[in-house]
Amino acid sequence: MLQLSYIHENTAEVIKRLAVKNFKAEEIVNSIIEKDINRKKIKQDLEKNLAYANQIAKEIGALYKSGNISEANEKKEITKQLKETEKQLNQQLSVLESEVDQLLVQLPNLPYHLVKPGKTADDNEIILQEGYIPESTNNLPHWEIAAKYDIIDFELGNKVTGSGFPFYKNKGAKLQRALVSFFLDEASKEGYNEYEVPLVVNEASGYGTGQLPDKEGQMYHIGLDNLYMIPTAEVPLTNIFRDTILRAEDLPVKCTGYSACFRREAGSYGKDVRGLNRLHQFDKVEIVQIQHPSKSYETLENMKDYVAGLIRKLGLPFRILRLCGGDISFTSAMTYDMETYSIAQKKWLEVSSISNFESFQANRLKLRFRDGNNKTQLVHTLNGSALALPRIVACILENNQTPDGIKIPEVLVPYTGFDMI
RNA sequence: GGAGAGAUGGCCGAGUGGUCGAAGGCGCACGCCUGGAAAGUGUGUGUAUGCCAAAAGCGUACCAAGGGUUCGAAUCCCUUUCUCUCCGCCA
Protein backbone atom coordinates (compact mmCIF):
# COMPACT_ATOMS: atom_id res chain seq x y z
CA MET A 1 0.00 0.00 0.00
CA LEU A 2 1.11 3.54 -0.61
CA GLN A 3 2.58 5.54 2.23
CA LEU A 4 0.33 8.17 3.72
CA SER A 5 3.14 10.68 4.01
CA TYR A 6 3.87 10.27 0.29
CA ILE A 7 0.26 10.90 -0.62
CA HIS A 8 0.22 14.03 1.50
CA GLU A 9 3.37 15.43 -0.05
CA ASN A 10 2.77 14.41 -3.66
CA THR A 11 -0.97 14.47 -4.07
CA ALA A 12 -1.12 15.69 -7.65
CA GLU A 13 1.60 13.33 -8.76
CA VAL A 14 -0.12 10.32 -7.20
CA ILE A 15 -3.33 11.09 -9.06
CA LYS A 16 -1.47 11.64 -12.31
CA ARG A 17 0.54 8.47 -12.10
CA LEU A 18 -2.40 6.31 -11.15
CA ALA A 19 -4.13 7.58 -14.27
CA VAL A 20 -1.51 5.61 -16.22
CA LYS A 21 -3.09 2.53 -14.66
CA ASN A 22 -6.49 3.85 -15.75
CA PHE A 23 -7.31 4.41 -12.12
CA LYS A 24 -9.31 7.49 -11.23
CA ALA A 25 -7.78 8.31 -7.90
CA GLU A 26 -8.80 11.86 -7.29
CA GLU A 27 -11.84 11.23 -5.18
CA ILE A 28 -10.23 8.59 -3.00
CA VAL A 29 -7.01 10.52 -2.57
CA ASN A 30 -8.79 13.70 -1.55
CA SER A 31 -10.94 11.80 0.84
CA ILE A 32 -7.89 10.13 2.37
CA ILE A 33 -6.18 13.45 2.89
CA GLU A 34 -9.21 15.05 4.43
CA LYS A 35 -9.85 12.19 6.79
CA ASP A 36 -6.22 11.85 7.69
CA ILE A 37 -5.88 15.48 8.65
CA ASN A 38 -8.91 15.05 10.83
CA ARG A 39 -7.47 11.86 12.26
CA LYS A 40 -4.24 13.58 13.18
CA LYS A 41 -6.05 16.36 14.97
CA ILE A 42 -8.12 13.99 17.03
CA LYS A 43 -5.09 11.92 17.85
CA GLN A 44 -3.31 15.02 19.11
CA ASP A 45 -6.25 15.91 21.33
CA LEU A 46 -6.37 12.40 22.64
CA GLU A 47 -2.68 12.36 23.43
CA LYS A 48 -2.88 15.66 25.27
CA ASN A 49 -5.73 14.21 27.24
CA LEU A 50 -3.77 11.08 28.03
CA ALA A 51 -0.71 13.05 29.04
CA TYR A 52 -2.77 15.02 31.51
CA ALA A 53 -4.38 11.91 32.92
CA ASN A 54 -1.01 10.26 33.33
CA GLN A 55 0.28 13.27 35.18
CA ILE A 56 -2.67 13.31 37.56
CA ALA A 57 -2.32 9.60 38.22
CA LYS A 58 1.26 10.20 39.28
CA GLU A 59 0.22 13.00 41.55
CA ILE A 60 -2.43 10.84 43.15
CA GLY A 61 0.18 8.20 43.80
CA ALA A 62 2.37 10.74 45.56
CA LEU A 63 -0.56 12.07 47.60
CA TYR A 64 -1.49 8.61 48.80
CA LYS A 65 2.07 8.02 49.85
CA SER A 66 2.15 11.17 51.92
CA GLY A 67 -1.21 10.29 53.44
CA ASN A 68 -3.09 13.14 51.83
CA ILE A 69 -6.19 11.12 51.02
CA SER A 70 -8.70 13.91 50.64
CA GLU A 71 -6.69 15.79 48.03
CA ALA A 72 -6.13 12.54 46.20
CA ASN A 73 -9.85 11.93 46.05
CA GLU A 74 -10.39 15.40 44.64
CA LYS A 75 -7.98 14.65 41.86
CA LYS A 76 -9.77 11.43 41.12
CA GLU A 77 -12.81 13.45 40.21
CA ILE A 78 -10.85 15.26 37.51
CA THR A 79 -9.82 12.01 35.91
CA LYS A 80 -13.39 10.87 35.66
CA GLN A 81 -14.01 13.75 33.29
CA LEU A 82 -10.88 12.98 31.34
CA LYS A 83 -11.89 9.38 30.91
CA GLU A 84 -15.18 10.41 29.41
CA THR A 85 -13.45 12.58 26.81
CA GLU A 86 -10.91 9.90 26.18
CA LYS A 87 -13.59 7.38 25.39
CA GLN A 88 -15.25 9.68 22.86
CA LEU A 89 -12.00 10.66 21.17
CA ASN A 90 -10.95 7.06 20.98
CA GLN A 91 -14.15 6.12 19.26
CA GLN A 92 -13.84 8.90 16.71
CA LEU A 93 -10.24 7.99 16.14
CA SER A 94 -10.80 4.33 15.46
CA VAL A 95 -13.61 5.15 13.03
CA LEU A 96 -11.37 7.52 11.11
CA GLU A 97 -8.44 5.16 11.19
CA SER A 98 -10.40 2.34 9.69
CA GLU A 99 -11.92 4.65 7.09
CA VAL A 100 -8.50 5.91 6.02
CA ASP A 101 -7.22 2.37 5.95
CA GLN A 102 -10.11 1.14 3.89
CA LEU A 103 -9.51 3.85 1.32
CA LEU A 104 -5.79 3.37 1.32
CA VAL A 105 -5.94 -0.30 0.42
CA GLN A 106 -8.04 0.61 -2.59
CA LEU A 107 -5.18 2.54 -4.18
CA PRO A 108 -3.00 0.52 -6.53
CA ASN A 109 0.75 0.90 -6.59
CA LEU A 110 2.15 3.78 -8.63
CA PRO A 111 3.52 2.70 -12.00
CA TYR A 112 7.20 3.31 -12.71
CA HIS A 113 7.98 6.08 -15.19
CA LEU A 114 8.83 3.57 -17.94
CA VAL A 115 5.34 2.09 -17.82
CA LYS A 116 3.32 3.33 -20.78
CA PRO A 117 -0.36 4.06 -20.57
CA GLY A 118 -2.60 1.51 -22.22
CA LYS A 119 -5.92 -0.24 -22.00
CA THR A 120 -5.35 -3.93 -22.59
CA ALA A 121 -2.73 -6.58 -23.20
CA ASP A 122 -2.55 -5.38 -26.82
CA ASP A 123 -0.86 -2.20 -25.64
CA ASN A 124 2.03 -4.01 -23.97
CA GLU A 125 5.46 -3.24 -25.39
CA ILE A 126 7.45 -6.07 -26.91
CA ILE A 127 10.99 -5.67 -25.59
CA LEU A 128 12.54 -8.71 -27.17
CA GLN A 129 11.53 -11.67 -29.33
CA GLU A 130 13.74 -14.65 -29.87
CA GLY A 131 13.63 -18.12 -31.45
CA TYR A 132 12.35 -19.71 -34.63
CA ILE A 133 8.62 -19.72 -35.35
CA PRO A 134 7.54 -21.86 -38.33
CA GLU A 135 4.85 -20.48 -40.64
CA SER A 136 2.66 -23.53 -40.36
CA THR A 137 2.88 -27.04 -38.97
CA ASN A 138 0.75 -30.09 -38.41
CA ASN A 139 1.79 -30.33 -34.78
CA LEU A 140 -0.86 -31.58 -32.40
CA PRO A 141 -2.06 -29.50 -29.46
CA HIS A 142 -0.71 -30.73 -26.14
CA TRP A 143 -4.01 -32.19 -24.92
CA GLU A 144 -3.91 -34.60 -27.81
CA ILE A 145 -0.26 -35.42 -27.20
CA ALA A 146 -1.05 -35.96 -23.54
CA ALA A 147 -3.64 -38.60 -24.44
CA LYS A 148 -1.57 -40.15 -27.20
CA TYR A 149 1.40 -40.85 -24.92
CA ASP A 150 -0.68 -41.25 -21.75
CA ILE A 151 1.30 -38.66 -19.81
CA ILE A 152 -1.35 -36.24 -18.54
CA ASP A 153 -4.86 -37.33 -17.58
CA PHE A 154 -7.38 -34.52 -17.43
CA GLU A 155 -10.43 -36.75 -17.16
CA LEU A 156 -9.02 -38.59 -14.19
CA GLY A 157 -8.39 -35.25 -12.48
CA ASN A 158 -11.93 -34.33 -13.27
CA LYS A 159 -13.22 -37.50 -11.64
CA VAL A 160 -11.11 -37.28 -8.52
CA THR A 161 -11.21 -33.52 -7.92
CA GLY A 162 -12.62 -31.39 -10.71
CA SER A 163 -11.57 -29.70 -13.88
CA GLY A 164 -8.27 -27.90 -13.68
CA PHE A 165 -6.68 -30.56 -11.47
CA PRO A 166 -4.95 -32.94 -13.88
CA PHE A 167 -3.00 -36.07 -13.06
CA TYR A 168 0.49 -36.31 -14.53
CA LYS A 169 1.44 -39.87 -15.31
CA ASN A 170 4.46 -41.91 -16.34
CA LYS A 171 6.93 -39.80 -18.31
CA GLY A 172 4.63 -36.82 -17.78
CA ALA A 173 5.06 -37.07 -14.01
CA LYS A 174 8.81 -37.47 -14.38
CA LEU A 175 8.98 -34.44 -16.65
CA GLN A 176 7.28 -32.36 -13.95
CA ARG A 177 9.79 -33.49 -11.37
CA ALA A 178 12.66 -32.84 -13.76
CA LEU A 179 11.53 -29.30 -14.50
CA VAL A 180 11.14 -28.45 -10.83
CA SER A 181 14.61 -29.78 -10.03
CA PHE A 182 16.15 -28.03 -13.02
CA PHE A 183 14.61 -24.68 -12.09
CA LEU A 184 15.61 -24.98 -8.44
CA ASP A 185 19.17 -25.94 -9.29
CA GLU A 186 19.49 -23.03 -11.68
CA ALA A 187 18.16 -20.65 -9.03
CA SER A 188 20.65 -22.00 -6.48
CA LYS A 189 23.49 -21.41 -8.93
CA GLU A 190 22.24 -17.85 -9.25
CA GLY A 191 22.55 -17.35 -5.49
CA TYR A 192 18.96 -17.82 -4.41
CA ASN A 193 18.41 -19.57 -1.07
CA GLU A 194 16.08 -22.49 -1.45
CA TYR A 195 13.02 -22.89 0.74
CA GLU A 196 10.26 -25.44 0.92
CA VAL A 197 7.23 -23.46 1.98
CA PRO A 198 3.86 -24.06 3.62
CA LEU A 199 1.11 -24.41 1.03
CA VAL A 200 -1.43 -22.66 3.21
CA VAL A 201 -1.05 -19.29 4.88
CA ASN A 202 -2.93 -17.23 7.43
CA GLU A 203 -4.82 -14.02 6.87
CA ALA A 204 -1.95 -11.73 7.89
CA SER A 205 0.26 -13.23 5.20
CA GLY A 206 -2.41 -12.82 2.56
CA TYR A 207 -2.67 -9.20 3.55
CA GLY A 208 1.09 -8.71 3.56
CA THR A 209 1.57 -9.57 -0.08
CA GLY A 210 -1.65 -7.92 -1.21
CA GLN A 211 -3.96 -10.85 -1.97
CA LEU A 212 -6.21 -9.68 0.86
CA PRO A 213 -8.42 -7.81 1.12
CA ASP A 214 -10.47 -7.86 -2.06
CA LYS A 215 -8.88 -10.76 -3.89
CA GLU A 216 -10.26 -13.45 -1.62
CA GLY A 217 -12.11 -14.86 -4.58
CA GLN A 218 -8.84 -15.92 -6.19
CA MET A 219 -7.78 -18.13 -3.32
CA TYR A 220 -9.12 -21.35 -1.90
CA HIS A 221 -10.11 -20.69 1.68
CA ILE A 222 -10.16 -23.27 4.44
CA GLY A 223 -12.93 -21.85 6.58
CA LEU A 224 -12.58 -24.14 9.57
CA ASP A 225 -9.07 -22.92 10.27
CA ASN A 226 -9.25 -19.61 8.41
CA LEU A 227 -6.29 -20.44 6.20
CA TYR A 228 -5.75 -19.74 2.52
CA MET A 229 -4.15 -22.06 -0.02
CA ILE A 230 -1.32 -20.18 -1.67
CA PRO A 231 -1.80 -18.91 -5.23
CA THR A 232 2.01 -18.65 -5.52
CA ALA A 233 5.07 -19.30 -3.37
CA GLU A 234 5.57 -15.55 -3.41
CA VAL A 235 3.15 -15.35 -0.50
CA PRO A 236 5.00 -17.53 2.03
CA LEU A 237 8.43 -16.55 0.70
CA THR A 238 7.85 -12.84 1.02
CA ASN A 239 6.05 -13.15 4.33
CA ILE A 240 9.12 -14.77 5.85
CA PHE A 241 10.27 -11.19 6.21
CA ARG A 242 7.07 -9.68 7.52
CA ASP A 243 7.71 -7.39 10.50
CA THR A 244 11.45 -7.50 10.23
CA ILE A 245 14.23 -4.96 10.09
CA LEU A 246 17.15 -6.06 7.96
CA ARG A 247 20.64 -4.61 7.95
CA ALA A 248 21.65 -2.72 4.82
CA GLU A 249 24.50 -5.19 4.30
CA ASP A 250 22.01 -8.09 4.23
CA LEU A 251 20.57 -6.75 0.97
CA PRO A 252 19.78 -8.13 -1.46
CA VAL A 253 18.00 -11.08 0.11
CA LYS A 254 17.38 -13.72 -2.55
CA CYS A 255 15.15 -16.71 -2.07
CA THR A 256 13.51 -19.32 -4.20
CA GLY A 257 11.00 -22.06 -3.64
CA TYR A 258 8.97 -24.62 -5.45
CA SER A 259 5.30 -24.95 -4.63
CA ALA A 260 2.07 -26.17 -5.99
CA CYS A 261 -0.08 -23.10 -6.63
CA PHE A 262 -3.82 -22.99 -6.18
CA ARG A 263 -6.07 -20.57 -8.00
CA ARG A 264 -9.82 -20.53 -8.17
CA GLU A 265 -9.80 -18.67 -11.50
CA ALA A 266 -13.45 -17.85 -11.08
CA GLY A 267 -15.01 -16.80 -14.33
CA SER A 268 -12.52 -18.33 -16.78
CA TYR A 269 -14.05 -20.57 -19.37
CA GLY A 270 -13.68 -21.47 -23.01
CA LYS A 271 -10.75 -22.33 -25.20
CA ASP A 272 -8.26 -20.36 -23.10
CA VAL A 273 -8.61 -22.92 -20.38
CA ARG A 274 -8.18 -25.95 -22.58
CA GLY A 275 -5.62 -28.51 -21.40
CA LEU A 276 -2.78 -27.02 -19.43
CA ASN A 277 -3.47 -23.43 -20.43
CA ARG A 278 -5.21 -22.53 -17.19
CA LEU A 279 -5.34 -24.77 -14.15
CA HIS A 280 -6.59 -24.59 -10.59
CA GLN A 281 -3.48 -26.35 -9.37
CA PHE A 282 -0.08 -26.07 -10.98
CA ASP A 283 3.59 -26.24 -10.13
CA LYS A 284 5.88 -23.26 -10.08
CA VAL A 285 9.32 -22.24 -8.93
CA GLU A 286 9.33 -18.69 -7.69
CA ILE A 287 12.21 -16.29 -7.15
CA VAL A 288 11.98 -13.40 -4.69
CA GLN A 289 14.40 -10.60 -3.96
CA ILE A 290 14.42 -7.96 -1.26
CA GLN A 291 16.54 -5.08 -2.38
CA HIS A 292 17.74 -1.61 -1.50
CA PRO A 293 15.41 0.98 -3.09
CA SER A 294 18.24 2.46 -5.13
CA LYS A 295 19.00 -0.88 -6.78
CA SER A 296 15.62 -2.46 -7.33
CA TYR A 297 15.31 -1.64 -11.03
CA GLU A 298 18.77 -2.96 -11.75
CA THR A 299 17.64 -6.12 -9.96
CA LEU A 300 14.44 -6.29 -11.99
CA GLU A 301 16.54 -6.31 -15.17
CA ASN A 302 18.74 -9.07 -13.77
CA MET A 303 15.75 -11.18 -12.86
CA LYS A 304 14.23 -10.66 -16.29
CA ASP A 305 17.48 -11.71 -17.96
CA TYR A 306 17.80 -14.72 -15.68
CA VAL A 307 14.32 -15.98 -16.58
CA ALA A 308 14.96 -15.34 -20.28
CA GLY A 309 18.08 -17.48 -19.91
CA LEU A 310 16.03 -20.34 -18.49
CA ILE A 311 13.67 -20.30 -21.44
CA ARG A 312 16.60 -20.10 -23.83
CA LYS A 313 18.12 -23.19 -22.23
CA LEU A 314 14.86 -25.02 -22.81
CA GLY A 315 15.04 -24.02 -26.46
CA LEU A 316 11.62 -22.39 -26.70
CA PRO A 317 10.80 -19.34 -28.81
CA PHE A 318 9.83 -16.53 -26.47
CA ARG A 319 9.23 -12.86 -26.16
CA ILE A 320 9.44 -10.36 -23.34
CA LEU A 321 6.75 -7.76 -22.77
CA ARG A 322 6.75 -4.70 -20.61
CA LEU A 323 3.20 -4.43 -19.40
CA CYS A 324 1.29 -1.25 -20.02
CA GLY A 325 -0.56 0.62 -17.29
CA GLY A 326 -3.80 -1.13 -18.03
CA ASP A 327 -2.41 -4.66 -17.82
CA ILE A 328 -0.09 -4.30 -14.86
CA SER A 329 -1.23 -5.72 -11.55
CA PHE A 330 -2.61 -3.79 -8.62
CA THR A 331 0.51 -4.18 -6.50
CA SER A 332 3.20 -3.85 -9.17
CA ALA A 333 5.17 -0.76 -10.19
CA MET A 334 6.60 -2.42 -13.27
CA THR A 335 6.19 -5.89 -14.72
CA TYR A 336 7.84 -7.92 -17.44
CA ASP A 337 5.87 -10.84 -18.80
CA MET A 338 7.56 -13.77 -20.50
CA GLU A 339 5.65 -15.61 -23.16
CA THR A 340 6.66 -18.76 -24.96
CA TYR A 341 5.23 -19.60 -28.36
CA SER A 342 3.16 -22.71 -28.93
CA ILE A 343 3.43 -23.67 -32.59
CA ALA A 344 0.48 -26.03 -32.40
CA GLN A 345 -1.89 -23.58 -30.75
CA LYS A 346 -0.26 -20.78 -32.74
CA LYS A 347 -0.22 -18.44 -29.81
CA TRP A 348 1.90 -16.92 -27.09
CA LEU A 349 1.50 -18.36 -23.61
CA GLU A 350 2.45 -16.42 -20.51
CA VAL A 351 4.94 -18.44 -18.49
CA SER A 352 6.41 -15.84 -16.17
CA SER A 353 5.69 -12.48 -14.70
CA ILE A 354 8.50 -10.53 -13.08
CA SER A 355 7.61 -7.50 -11.02
CA ASN A 356 9.06 -4.77 -8.89
CA PHE A 357 6.65 -3.83 -6.13
CA GLU A 358 8.92 -1.10 -4.82
CA SER A 359 7.80 -0.39 -1.26
CA PHE A 360 4.14 -1.26 -1.83
CA GLN A 361 4.35 -4.72 -0.28
CA ALA A 362 7.07 -3.70 2.17
CA ASN A 363 4.77 -1.07 3.62
CA ARG A 364 2.13 -3.65 4.39
CA LEU A 365 4.70 -6.18 5.52
CA LYS A 366 6.51 -3.64 7.71
CA LEU A 367 9.66 -4.90 6.08
CA ARG A 368 12.45 -2.39 6.58
CA PHE A 369 16.20 -2.02 6.70
CA ARG A 370 18.53 0.26 8.58
CA ASP A 371 20.20 2.76 6.30
CA GLY A 372 23.53 4.55 6.77
CA ASN A 373 22.06 6.96 9.30
CA ASN A 374 20.69 4.05 11.30
CA LYS A 375 17.17 5.06 10.33
CA THR A 376 14.67 2.45 9.26
CA GLN A 377 13.46 2.62 5.69
CA LEU A 378 11.16 0.41 3.65
CA VAL A 379 12.86 -2.04 1.29
CA HIS A 380 11.79 -2.85 -2.25
CA THR A 381 10.44 -6.32 -3.02
CA LEU A 382 10.55 -8.12 -6.35
CA ASN A 383 9.50 -11.48 -7.55
CA GLY A 384 9.11 -13.58 -10.63
CA SER A 385 8.13 -17.01 -11.83
CA ALA A 386 11.15 -19.03 -12.76
CA LEU A 387 9.15 -20.76 -14.05
CA ALA A 388 5.53 -21.88 -14.03
CA LEU A 389 5.35 -25.41 -15.39
CA PRO A 390 2.11 -26.09 -17.25
CA ARG A 391 2.54 -23.79 -20.23
CA ILE A 392 6.23 -24.63 -20.48
CA VAL A 393 5.19 -28.29 -20.66
CA ALA A 394 2.54 -27.42 -23.23
CA CYS A 395 5.13 -25.69 -25.41
CA ILE A 396 7.69 -28.47 -25.06
CA LEU A 397 5.07 -31.04 -26.07
CA GLU A 398 3.74 -28.96 -28.94
CA ASN A 399 7.00 -27.64 -30.34
CA ASN A 400 9.26 -30.65 -29.96
CA GLN A 401 7.21 -33.18 -31.91
CA THR A 402 9.21 -35.51 -34.15
CA PRO A 403 8.25 -38.68 -36.00
CA ASP A 404 9.92 -40.60 -33.16
CA GLY A 405 8.11 -38.81 -30.35
CA ILE A 406 8.59 -35.73 -28.25
CA LYS A 407 12.15 -34.57 -27.89
CA ILE A 408 13.14 -33.61 -24.35
CA PRO A 409 15.31 -30.43 -24.13
CA GLU A 410 18.93 -31.43 -23.57
CA VAL A 411 19.28 -29.61 -20.25
CA LEU A 412 16.47 -31.71 -18.83
CA VAL A 413 17.75 -35.12 -19.89
CA PRO A 414 20.02 -35.51 -16.83
CA TYR A 415 16.90 -34.92 -14.74
CA THR A 416 14.40 -37.06 -16.64
CA GLY A 417 16.68 -39.94 -17.46
CA PHE A 418 15.13 -40.17 -20.96
CA ASP A 419 15.41 -37.97 -24.03
CA MET A 420 12.19 -38.90 -25.83
CA ILE A 421 8.57 -39.34 -24.93
C1' G B 1 -8.04 -34.34 22.06
C1' G B 2 -7.07 -34.31 27.96
C1' A B 3 -4.01 -32.23 32.23
C1' G B 4 -0.44 -28.70 33.73
C1' A B 5 3.19 -24.63 32.93
C1' G B 6 4.35 -20.47 30.27
C1' A B 7 4.70 -15.97 26.48
C1' U B 8 8.90 -9.47 28.94
C1' G B 9 13.65 -5.41 24.45
C1' G B 10 18.39 -8.42 18.96
C1' C B 11 19.12 -12.74 22.62
C1' C B 12 19.03 -14.57 27.89
C1' G B 13 16.50 -13.03 32.08
C1' A B 14 14.46 -10.06 36.70
C1' G B 15 10.17 -7.78 37.76
C1' U B 16 2.82 -9.59 41.40
C1' G B 17 -0.53 -2.41 41.38
C1' G B 18 2.54 3.81 41.25
C1' U B 19 9.08 6.56 40.81
C1' C B 20 8.98 0.52 34.82
C1' G B 21 10.29 1.61 28.38
C1' A B 22 11.25 -1.90 32.07
C1' A B 23 17.10 -4.38 36.77
C1' G B 24 21.18 -7.58 35.44
C1' G B 25 23.76 -10.16 31.69
C1' C B 26 25.03 -11.28 26.53
C1' G B 27 25.43 -9.06 21.89
C1' C B 28 26.27 -4.57 19.19
C1' A B 29 28.39 0.68 18.54
C1' C B 30 31.80 4.33 20.02
C1' G B 31 35.87 5.77 23.36
C1' C B 32 39.95 4.69 26.91
C1' C B 33 43.84 1.20 27.72
C1' U B 34 47.55 -1.60 23.95
C1' G B 35 52.97 -1.67 19.31
C1' G B 36 48.41 -4.51 17.66
C1' A B 37 44.74 -7.64 19.66
C1' A B 38 42.43 -10.16 23.77
C1' A B 39 41.26 -9.01 28.65
C1' G B 40 39.87 -4.78 31.37
C1' U B 41 37.21 -0.22 31.53
C1' G B 42 33.66 4.02 30.32
C1' U B 43 29.46 5.61 27.55
C1' G B 44 25.56 4.49 24.50
C1' U B 45 22.18 0.95 22.44
C1' G B 46 13.89 -0.89 20.83
C1' U B 47 9.70 0.30 17.48
C1' A B 48 5.83 3.45 15.84
C1' U B 49 3.72 8.10 15.85
C1' G B 50 2.97 13.51 16.98
C1' C B 51 4.98 18.62 18.14
C1' C B 52 9.68 21.06 15.76
C1' A B 53 12.56 23.61 9.35
C1' A B 54 16.00 20.13 11.47
C1' A B 55 18.68 18.41 15.62
C1' A B 56 18.09 18.36 20.62
C1' G B 57 14.09 17.84 23.47
C1' C B 58 9.27 16.61 24.83
C1' G B 59 4.34 13.97 24.40
C1' U B 60 1.67 9.29 23.28
C1' A B 61 1.39 4.01 22.45
C1' C B 62 3.65 -0.77 22.68
C1' C B 63 6.03 -6.36 28.12
C1' A B 64 1.85 -12.57 22.70
C1' A B 65 -3.23 -10.31 20.74
C1' G B 66 -7.95 -8.23 22.13
C1' G B 67 -11.15 -6.63 26.02
C1' G B 68 -12.03 -5.40 31.36
C1' U B 69 -11.08 -3.69 36.73
C1' U B 70 -8.41 0.79 38.75
C1' C B 71 -7.00 7.64 39.75
C1' G B 72 -2.86 4.34 38.08
C1' A B 73 -1.59 -2.38 34.99
C1' A B 74 4.20 -5.90 32.45
C1' U B 75 1.95 -7.03 37.32
C1' C B 76 -5.21 -8.35 38.83
C1' C B 77 -9.64 -10.47 35.80
C1' C B 78 -11.82 -12.42 31.02
C1' U B 79 -11.30 -14.16 25.86
C1' U B 80 -8.17 -15.74 21.93
C1' U B 81 -3.62 -17.34 19.85
C1' C B 82 0.93 -19.62 20.35
C1' U B 83 4.95 -22.43 22.97
C1' C B 84 6.66 -26.21 26.37
C1' U B 85 5.94 -30.82 29.51
C1' C B 86 3.08 -35.26 30.42
C1' C B 87 -0.89 -38.45 28.47
C1' G B 88 -3.81 -39.98 24.11
C1' C B 89 -3.85 -40.39 18.72
C1' C B 90 -0.84 -40.51 14.42
C1' A B 91 2.47 -40.08 8.68
Side-chain angles (χ1 to χ4, degrees):
Chain A
M1 113 184 113
L2 298 177
Q3 289 174 266
L4 259 177
S5 56
Y6 192 88
I7 298 175
H8 274 289
E9 286 159 27
N10 307 279
T11 312
E13 187 211 323
V14 167
I15 292 169
K16 200 174 137 199
R17 283 173 70 187
L18 285 179
V20 174
K21 281 193 169 183
N22 305 320
F23 189 89
K24 294 190 181 69
E26 193 166 352
E27 203 178 307
I28 292 178
V29 166
N30 289 338
S31 179
I32 285 173
I33 287 174
E34 188 194 316
K35 283 181 195 293
D36 192 53
I37 288 170
N38 207 353
R39 194 211 95 225
K40 241 183 235 177
K41 205 182 138 284
I42 285 171
K43 185 135 197 217
Q44 278 171 27
D45 289 349
L46 177 64
E47 286 183 358
K48 266 185 217 150
N49 200 75
L50 283 169
Y52 189 39
N54 284 345
Q55 189 203 324
I56 288 180
K58 268 184 195 164
E59 287 170 14
I60 290 174
L63 288 170
Y64 269 120
K65 221 162 235 181
S66 63
N68 201 338
I69 309 292
S70 63
E71 200 176 328
N73 284 335
E74 270 175 46
K75 297 237 176 202
K76 276 193 194 179
E77 285 305 310
I78 305 176
T79 7
K80 269 191 189 142
Q81 280 281 324
L82 290 175
K83 277 191 109 177
E84 210 32 56
T85 337
E86 187 193 318
K87 208 176 239 173
Q88 283 176 17
L89 288 173
N90 245 326
Q91 243 166 32
Q92 291 177 42
L93 185 67
S94 64
V95 168
L96 277 169
E97 273 176 348
S98 73
E99 281 177 359
V100 169
D101 218 56
Q102 244 172 51
L103 290 168
L104 208 51
V105 295
Q106 286 177 40
L107 292 181
N109 198 3
L110 302 179
Y112 191 51
H113 69 83
L114 289 178
V115 174
K116 300 256 162 64
K119 292 260 183 288
T120 66
D122 298 333
D123 300 320
N124 294 335
E125 295 172 76
I126 298 167
I127 304 283
L128 176 86
Q129 181 172 328
E130 202 179 293
Y132 171 67
I133 295 172
E135 291 260 322
S136 70
T137 66
N138 296 319
N139 287 20
L140 299 171
H142 68 268
W143 47 90
E144 287 180 31
I145 300 283
K148 182 173 166 190
Y149 295 99
D150 195 24
I151 50 173
I152 307 171
D153 196 327
F154 294 99
E155 309 223 325
L156 188 57
N158 217 338
K159 168 188 163 189
V160 173
T161 305
S163 92
F165 293 93
F167 276 79
Y168 301 87
K169 295 156 66 175
N170 310 318
K171 284 185 172 176
K174 291 195 193 302
L175 178 59
Q176 292 289 116
R177 193 147 55 85
L179 280 164
V180 169
S181 296
F182 171 65
F183 291 146
L184 285 174
D185 283 351
E186 290 292 307
S188 287
K189 278 187 222 160
E190 191 70 12
Y192 290 90
N193 293 315
E194 186 174 332
Y195 287 83
E196 183 172 316
V197 301
L199 300 181
V200 291
V201 294
N202 57 28
E203 226 174 336
S205 294
Y207 180 82
T209 31
Q211 281 74 26
L212 297 175
D214 280 358
K215 289 162 197 69
E216 288 96 339
Q218 305 282 4
M219 288 189 286
Y220 289 97
H221 181 221
I222 302 160
L224 196 58
D225 298 299
N226 196 25
L227 295 172
Y228 293 86
M229 300 188 74
I230 59 171
T232 157
E234 166 200 345
V235 179
L237 282 177
T238 312
N239 273 285
I240 292 170
F241 304 96
R242 171 150 48 87
D243 281 318
T244 56
I245 301 176
L246 300 164
R247 295 172 307 174
E249 59 265 34
D250 293 335
L251 301 175
V253 172
K254 302 170 81 172
C255 40
T256 185
Y258 151 75
S259 85
C261 302
F262 302 91
R263 299 188 182 181
R264 293 189 64 235
E265 302 288 1
S268 319
Y269 303 100
K271 65 176 164 49
D272 283 348
V273 305
R274 192 95 196 256
L276 294 170
N277 287 354
R278 193 179 293 275
L279 299 173
H280 289 306
Q281 178 184 328
F282 63 94
D283 294 307
K284 179 161 65 63
V285 171
E286 183 79 359
I287 51 175
V288 168
Q289 288 208 40
I290 296 166
Q291 182 57 292
H292 192 284
S294 68
K295 294 187 186 148
S296 65
Y297 279 95
E298 196 183 308
T299 297
L300 181 66
E301 293 302 308
N302 291 340
M303 289 171 75
K304 175 200 74 181
D305 294 341
Y306 167 71
V307 175
L310 286 182
I311 300 173
R312 204 173 280 128
K313 285 181 188 171
L314 293 172
L316 297 170
F318 70 99
R319 64 181 191 181
I320 304 175
L321 307 174
R322 176 159 44 217
L323 298 192
C324 72
D327 205 28
I328 202 171
S329 80
F330 185 83
T331 46
S332 171
M334 183 155 106
T335 298
Y336 288 114
D337 267 8
M338 300 281 166
E339 298 182 335
T340 53
Y341 191 77
S342 149
I343 66 176
Q345 293 186 67
K346 296 190 176 40
K347 67 178 184 188
W348 294 98
L349 302 177
E350 182 191 330
V351 292
S352 176
S353 196
I354 303 140
S355 304
N356 187 354
F357 302 98
E358 298 190 6
S359 60
F360 195 81
Q361 286 184 331
N363 192 25
R364 288 197 185 193
L365 291 161
K366 296 196 174 59
L367 168 49
R368 292 150 294 170
F369 73 102
R370 239 175 257 287
D371 64 19
N373 302 322
N374 229 24
K375 293 251 178 208
T376 58
Q377 199 186 135
L378 293 173
V379 298
H380 282 190
T381 60
L382 305 97
N383 70 46
S385 350
L387 287 156
L389 266 65
R391 295 175 192 158
I392 289 287
V393 170
C395 285
I396 290 174
L397 296 179
E398 291 176 355
N399 294 10
N400 295 7
Q401 294 172 37
T402 72
D404 305 323
I406 312 292
K407 193 170 177 336
I408 300 294
E410 236 167 79
V411 289
L412 292 181
V413 175
Y415 292 95
T416 54
F418 52 84
D419 58 3
M420 278 288 181
I421 294 178

